[in-house]
Amino acid sequence: MRIDVITIFPEMLAGPLAGSLLGKAVGSGLLDVRVHDLRTWTDDPHRSVDDEPYGGGPGMVLRPEPIFAAVEALDPDRGRVLVLSPAGRRLEQAFVRELASEPHLTLVSGRYEGIDERVVEGLPAEELSIGDFVLSGGEFAALVVIDAVARLVPGVIGTEASHQRDSFSEPDLLEHPQYTRPREFRGMAVPEVLLGGNHAEIERWRRETARAKTGRNRPDLHGPAQEPD
Ligand code: JFT
């Protein structure tokens, strides 16, 4: 899968894309992420990418011309163009799955007060938000999208089973608690059931603790239909 990212802060993406799971995916060729500096496509000597908002108000707005030039300079087969925005369609796992099935995505990441609306209207592009909280720009949001999508690309994560169990694969249930060694840590013991090899009992414990945790941390989720036991 290929992902192009257009940003005025390419250095904000470099470290995360080199590290850990993403670094391995990029290094192995399963994922081809290319980060482009928006200032490459400015035509004035000051390399300006922003200007004052029409109608007044604080701050600056990203101009449409460099963004159109950047996107149009990429492969004409650029795939879906996604603009990170606090006013976008909210990302959830179903949307991540949809994006992961695409061969090519282009992410536009801005700063300041936002991006000229004609980018969304004219490219055309889709606006996407990673959640209902406010960031100072789109770069971290772009990284979140890339990470969430990359781990669904076949081969990026070792085993198919490791996403089957994830929270949100099972849409209305959070994950059960996990434990590793030591058996006792600062007076807190690992639940006895996990130490024995009774897999049916372990599954039942996991289902029940997952349901309890979902009720506590995410009362907005309803949990899966209750199976009689
Ligand atoms: C914030 C953002 C997302 C996402 C893109 C651009 C400028 C700063 C800003 C903040 C509040 C109002 C502009 C961005 C995000 C999120 C994405 C930009 N800003 N207007 N904030 N929070 N969840 N995705 Cl361009």
Side-chain angles (χ1 to χ4, degrees), residues 116-146:
D116 188 296
E117 189 67 21
R118 289 166 293 186
V119 167
V120 172
E121 182 189 332
L123 273 175
E126 304 166 68
E127 291 177 283
L128 180 168
S129 169
I130 62 159
D132 290 342
F133 43 82
V134 184
L135 303 171
S136 49
E139 288 76 18
F140 288 117
L143 284 167
V144 166
V145 174
I146 295 168

mmCIF file of all heavy atoms in Angstrom, residues 116-146:
data_model
loop_
_atom_site.group_PDB
_atom_site.id
_atom_site.type_symbol
_atom_site.label_atom_id
_atom_site.label_comp_id
_atom_site.label_asym_id
_atom_site.label_seq_id
_atom_site.Cartn_x
_atom_site.Cartn_y
_atom_site.Cartn_z
ATOM 1 N N ASP A 116 -7.845 26.354 3.380
ATOM 2 C CA ASP A 116 -8.868 26.961 2.513
ATOM 3 C C ASP A 116 -9.873 25.891 2.071
ATOM 4 O O ASP A 116 -9.492 24.825 1.590
ATOM 5 C CB ASP A 116 -8.177 27.610 1.291
ATOM 6 C CG ASP A 116 -9.143 28.415 0.445
ATOM 7 O OD1 ASP A 116 -10.084 27.833 -0.127
ATOM 8 O OD2 ASP A 116 -8.963 29.656 0.357
ATOM 9 N N GLU A 117 -11.157 26.178 2.251
ATOM 10 C CA GLU A 117 -12.234 25.209 2.004
ATOM 11 C C GLU A 117 -12.240 24.680 0.574
ATOM 12 O O GLU A 117 -12.723 23.573 0.315
ATOM 13 C CB GLU A 117 -13.586 25.852 2.346
ATOM 14 C CG GLU A 117 -14.773 24.903 2.347
ATOM 15 C CD GLU A 117 -14.729 23.841 3.465
ATOM 16 O OE1 GLU A 117 -14.017 24.045 4.476
ATOM 17 O OE2 GLU A 117 -15.398 22.800 3.297
ATOM 18 N N ARG A 118 -11.685 25.441 -0.376
ATOM 19 C CA ARG A 118 -11.721 25.018 -1.781
ATOM 20 C C ARG A 118 -10.863 23.782 -2.040
ATOM 21 O O ARG A 118 -11.027 23.117 -3.057
ATOM 22 C CB ARG A 118 -11.357 26.190 -2.685
ATOM 23 C CG ARG A 118 -12.504 27.220 -2.697
ATOM 24 C CD ARG A 118 -12.104 28.523 -3.279
ATOM 25 N NE ARG A 118 -11.110 29.218 -2.433
ATOM 26 C CZ ARG A 118 -10.673 30.441 -2.664
ATOM 27 N NH1 ARG A 118 -11.131 31.121 -3.703
ATOM 28 N NH2 ARG A 118 -9.776 30.989 -1.849
ATOM 29 N N VAL A 119 -9.973 23.461 -1.079
ATOM 30 C CA VAL A 119 -9.192 22.211 -1.202
ATOM 31 C C VAL A 119 -10.136 21.019 -1.124
ATOM 32 O O VAL A 119 -10.065 20.085 -1.927
ATOM 33 C CB VAL A 119 -8.101 22.143 -0.102
ATOM 34 C CG1 VAL A 119 -7.504 20.744 -0.001
ATOM 35 C CG2 VAL A 119 -7.017 23.186 -0.379
ATOM 36 N N VAL A 120 -11.032 21.060 -0.147
ATOM 37 C CA VAL A 120 -11.990 19.968 0.041
ATOM 38 C C VAL A 120 -12.978 19.925 -1.128
ATOM 39 O O VAL A 120 -13.275 18.865 -1.671
ATOM 40 C CB VAL A 120 -12.744 20.139 1.380
ATOM 41 C CG1 VAL A 120 -13.880 19.135 1.499
ATOM 42 C CG2 VAL A 120 -11.768 19.998 2.545
ATOM 43 N N GLU A 121 -13.437 21.108 -1.520
ATOM 44 C CA GLU A 121 -14.444 21.198 -2.571
ATOM 45 C C GLU A 121 -13.878 20.824 -3.948
ATOM 46 O O GLU A 121 -14.525 20.123 -4.721
ATOM 47 C CB GLU A 121 -14.979 22.646 -2.599
ATOM 48 C CG GLU A 121 -16.074 22.897 -3.607
ATOM 49 C CD GLU A 121 -16.405 24.398 -3.731
ATOM 50 O OE1 GLU A 121 -16.212 25.135 -2.727
ATOM 51 O OE2 GLU A 121 -16.825 24.802 -4.827
ATOM 52 N N GLY A 122 -12.682 21.282 -4.215
ATOM 53 C CA GLY A 122 -12.169 21.237 -5.587
ATOM 54 C C GLY A 122 -11.297 20.062 -5.953
ATOM 55 O O GLY A 122 -11.211 19.711 -7.129
ATOM 56 N N LEU A 123 -10.606 19.452 -5.002
ATOM 57 C CA LEU A 123 -9.644 18.403 -5.417
ATOM 58 C C LEU A 123 -10.332 17.225 -6.091
ATOM 59 O O LEU A 123 -9.838 16.817 -7.157
ATOM 60 C CB LEU A 123 -8.805 17.940 -4.214
ATOM 61 C CG LEU A 123 -7.551 18.778 -3.964
ATOM 62 C CD1 LEU A 123 -6.861 18.346 -2.702
ATOM 63 C CD2 LEU A 123 -6.610 18.734 -5.143
ATOM 64 N N PRO A 124 -11.380 16.622 -5.560
ATOM 65 C CA PRO A 124 -11.988 16.820 -4.251
ATOM 66 C C PRO A 124 -11.271 15.976 -3.219
ATOM 67 O O PRO A 124 -10.512 15.087 -3.544
ATOM 68 C CB PRO A 124 -13.416 16.322 -4.461
ATOM 69 C CG PRO A 124 -13.293 15.264 -5.501
ATOM 70 C CD PRO A 124 -12.095 15.623 -6.364
ATOM 71 N N ALA A 125 -11.578 16.324 -1.921
ATOM 72 C CA ALA A 125 -10.974 15.582 -0.818
ATOM 73 C C ALA A 125 -12.027 15.315 0.242
ATOM 74 O O ALA A 125 -13.063 15.979 0.281
ATOM 75 C CB ALA A 125 -9.823 16.380 -0.225
ATOM 76 N N GLU A 126 -11.738 14.344 1.092
ATOM 77 C CA GLU A 126 -12.619 14.033 2.225
ATOM 78 C C GLU A 126 -11.955 14.535 3.489
ATOM 79 O O GLU A 126 -10.756 14.327 3.676
ATOM 80 C CB GLU A 126 -12.779 12.515 2.371
ATOM 81 C CG GLU A 126 -13.279 11.799 1.149
ATOM 82 C CD GLU A 126 -13.085 10.289 1.276
ATOM 83 O OE1 GLU A 126 -13.760 9.681 2.127
ATOM 84 O OE2 GLU A 126 -12.249 9.737 0.556
ATOM 85 N N GLU A 127 -12.741 15.143 4.385
ATOM 86 C CA GLU A 127 -12.191 15.578 5.676
ATOM 87 C C GLU A 127 -12.336 14.472 6.701
ATOM 88 O O GLU A 127 -13.382 13.847 6.805
ATOM 89 C CB GLU A 127 -12.932 16.811 6.179
ATOM 90 C CG GLU A 127 -12.674 18.038 5.352
ATOM 91 C CD GLU A 127 -13.505 19.201 5.863
ATOM 92 O OE1 GLU A 127 -14.712 19.229 5.571
ATOM 93 O OE2 GLU A 127 -12.939 20.057 6.578
ATOM 94 N N LEU A 128 -11.274 14.288 7.487
ATOM 95 C CA LEU A 128 -11.218 13.190 8.455
ATOM 96 C C LEU A 128 -10.681 13.734 9.768
ATOM 97 O O LEU A 128 -9.697 14.465 9.784
ATOM 98 C CB LEU A 128 -10.280 12.132 7.868
ATOM 99 C CG LEU A 128 -9.960 10.836 8.557
ATOM 100 C CD1 LEU A 128 -9.245 9.921 7.566
ATOM 101 C CD2 LEU A 128 -9.078 11.016 9.749
ATOM 102 N N SER A 129 -11.341 13.393 10.875
ATOM 103 C CA SER A 129 -10.854 13.761 12.210
ATOM 104 C C SER A 129 -10.566 12.496 12.998
ATOM 105 O O SER A 129 -11.324 11.532 12.939
ATOM 106 C CB SER A 129 -11.911 14.575 12.967
ATOM 107 O OG SER A 129 -11.516 14.701 14.333
ATOM 108 N N ILE A 130 -9.481 12.504 13.757
ATOM 109 C CA ILE A 130 -9.179 11.304 14.549
ATOM 110 C C ILE A 130 -9.945 11.265 15.869
ATOM 111 O O ILE A 130 -9.874 10.281 16.591
ATOM 112 C CB ILE A 130 -7.666 11.126 14.804
ATOM 113 C CG1 ILE A 130 -7.093 12.280 15.613
ATOM 114 C CG2 ILE A 130 -6.936 10.937 13.486
ATOM 115 C CD1 ILE A 130 -5.782 11.915 16.309
ATOM 116 N N GLY A 131 -10.684 12.314 16.199
ATOM 117 C CA GLY A 131 -11.471 12.236 17.430
ATOM 118 C C GLY A 131 -11.863 13.612 17.928
ATOM 119 O O GLY A 131 -11.390 14.630 17.439
ATOM 120 N N ASP A 132 -12.738 13.610 18.929
ATOM 121 C CA ASP A 132 -13.313 14.855 19.428
ATOM 122 C C ASP A 132 -12.459 15.487 20.510
ATOM 123 O O ASP A 132 -12.824 15.493 21.697
ATOM 124 C CB ASP A 132 -14.738 14.608 19.945
ATOM 125 C CG ASP A 132 -15.687 14.301 18.795
ATOM 126 O OD1 ASP A 132 -15.341 14.613 17.634
ATOM 127 O OD2 ASP A 132 -16.768 13.752 19.058
ATOM 128 N N PHE A 133 -11.307 15.969 20.100
ATOM 129 C CA PHE A 133 -10.406 16.734 20.956
ATOM 130 C C PHE A 133 -9.601 17.579 19.994
ATOM 131 O O PHE A 133 -9.633 17.332 18.786
ATOM 132 C CB PHE A 133 -9.496 15.809 21.778
ATOM 133 C CG PHE A 133 -8.949 14.678 20.973
ATOM 134 C CD1 PHE A 133 -7.832 14.874 20.154
ATOM 135 C CD2 PHE A 133 -9.566 13.451 20.970
ATOM 136 C CE1 PHE A 133 -7.342 13.848 19.377
ATOM 137 C CE2 PHE A 133 -9.083 12.414 20.171
ATOM 138 C CZ PHE A 133 -7.975 12.608 19.385
ATOM 139 N N VAL A 134 -8.923 18.600 20.503
ATOM 140 C CA VAL A 134 -8.318 19.573 19.594
ATOM 141 C C VAL A 134 -6.794 19.487 19.604
ATOM 142 O O VAL A 134 -6.157 19.606 20.648
ATOM 143 C CB VAL A 134 -8.780 21.007 19.941
ATOM 144 C CG1 VAL A 134 -8.212 21.996 18.930
ATOM 145 C CG2 VAL A 134 -10.300 21.075 19.935
ATOM 146 N N LEU A 135 -6.232 19.267 18.427
ATOM 147 C CA LEU A 135 -4.789 19.289 18.214
ATOM 148 C C LEU A 135 -4.415 20.635 17.600
ATOM 149 O O LEU A 135 -5.273 21.380 17.151
ATOM 150 C CB LEU A 135 -4.392 18.165 17.248
ATOM 151 C CG LEU A 135 -4.782 16.744 17.645
ATOM 152 C CD1 LEU A 135 -4.518 15.787 16.479
ATOM 153 C CD2 LEU A 135 -4.035 16.316 18.890
ATOM 154 N N SER A 136 -3.120 20.922 17.567
ATOM 155 C CA SER A 136 -2.704 22.202 16.975
ATOM 156 C C SER A 136 -2.444 22.090 15.479
ATOM 157 O O SER A 136 -2.186 23.084 14.813
ATOM 158 C CB SER A 136 -1.483 22.749 17.715
ATOM 159 O OG SER A 136 -0.504 21.741 17.835
ATOM 160 N N GLY A 137 -2.511 20.883 14.946
ATOM 161 C CA GLY A 137 -2.318 20.705 13.511
ATOM 162 C C GLY A 137 -2.581 19.268 13.138
ATOM 163 O O GLY A 137 -2.921 18.448 13.991
ATOM 164 N N GLY A 138 -2.412 18.949 11.868
ATOM 165 C CA GLY A 138 -2.812 17.640 11.376
ATOM 166 C C GLY A 138 -1.752 16.545 11.416
ATOM 167 O O GLY A 138 -2.054 15.398 11.110
ATOM 168 N N GLU A 139 -0.517 16.870 11.808
ATOM 169 C CA GLU A 139 0.572 15.884 11.668
ATOM 170 C C GLU A 139 0.386 14.662 12.567
ATOM 171 O O GLU A 139 0.535 13.526 12.112
ATOM 172 C CB GLU A 139 1.946 16.521 11.925
ATOM 173 C CG GLU A 139 2.407 17.458 10.818
ATOM 174 C CD GLU A 139 1.720 18.809 10.840
ATOM 175 O OE1 GLU A 139 1.132 19.194 11.887
ATOM 176 O OE2 GLU A 139 1.746 19.489 9.786
ATOM 177 N N PHE A 140 0.100 14.894 13.837
ATOM 178 C CA PHE A 140 -0.095 13.735 14.721
ATOM 179 C C PHE A 140 -1.317 12.944 14.272
ATOM 180 O O PHE A 140 -1.339 11.711 14.347
ATOM 181 C CB PHE A 140 -0.222 14.154 16.190
ATOM 182 C CG PHE A 140 1.082 14.613 16.792
ATOM 183 C CD1 PHE A 140 1.243 15.910 17.238
ATOM 184 C CD2 PHE A 140 2.153 13.742 16.903
ATOM 185 C CE1 PHE A 140 2.454 16.330 17.781
ATOM 186 C CE2 PHE A 140 3.366 14.151 17.439
ATOM 187 C CZ PHE A 140 3.515 15.459 17.878
ATOM 188 N N ALA A 141 -2.324 13.634 13.803
ATOM 189 C CA ALA A 141 -3.521 12.949 13.305
ATOM 190 C C ALA A 141 -3.168 12.082 12.093
ATOM 191 O O ALA A 141 -3.630 10.937 11.986
ATOM 192 C CB ALA A 141 -4.606 13.962 12.954
ATOM 193 N N ALA A 142 -2.328 12.586 11.206
ATOM 194 C CA ALA A 142 -1.904 11.802 10.033
ATOM 195 C C ALA A 142 -1.166 10.550 10.488
ATOM 196 O O ALA A 142 -1.387 9.453 9.946
ATOM 197 C CB ALA A 142 -1.019 12.644 9.116
ATOM 198 N N LEU A 143 -0.320 10.684 11.490
ATOM 199 C CA LEU A 143 0.414 9.521 12.012
ATOM 200 C C LEU A 143 -0.534 8.489 12.612
ATOM 201 O O LEU A 143 -0.333 7.286 12.452
ATOM 202 C CB LEU A 143 1.451 9.954 13.050
ATOM 203 C CG LEU A 143 2.707 10.604 12.470
ATOM 204 C CD1 LEU A 143 3.528 11.275 13.570
ATOM 205 C CD2 LEU A 143 3.561 9.573 11.725
ATOM 206 N N VAL A 144 -1.545 8.959 13.297
ATOM 207 C CA VAL A 144 -2.546 8.038 13.864
ATOM 208 C C VAL A 144 -3.237 7.260 12.738
ATOM 209 O O VAL A 144 -3.388 6.036 12.817
ATOM 210 C CB VAL A 144 -3.574 8.813 14.724
ATOM 211 C CG1 VAL A 144 -4.800 7.964 15.028
ATOM 212 C CG2 VAL A 144 -2.923 9.303 16.008
ATOM 213 N N VAL A 145 -3.625 7.955 11.694
ATOM 214 C CA VAL A 145 -4.283 7.290 10.560
ATOM 215 C C VAL A 145 -3.336 6.264 9.944
ATOM 216 O O VAL A 145 -3.727 5.112 9.691
ATOM 217 C CB VAL A 145 -4.734 8.316 9.485
ATOM 218 C CG1 VAL A 145 -5.272 7.605 8.244
ATOM 219 C CG2 VAL A 145 -5.782 9.259 10.064
ATOM 220 N N ILE A 146 -2.088 6.659 9.724
ATOM 221 C CA ILE A 146 -1.119 5.743 9.093
ATOM 222 C C ILE A 146 -0.910 4.508 9.968
ATOM 223 O O ILE A 146 -0.910 3.374 9.481
ATOM 224 C CB ILE A 146 0.224 6.457 8.811
ATOM 225 C CG1 ILE A 146 0.030 7.561 7.778
ATOM 226 C CG2 ILE A 146 1.283 5.451 8.339
ATOM 227 C CD1 ILE A 146 1.221 8.514 7.654
#
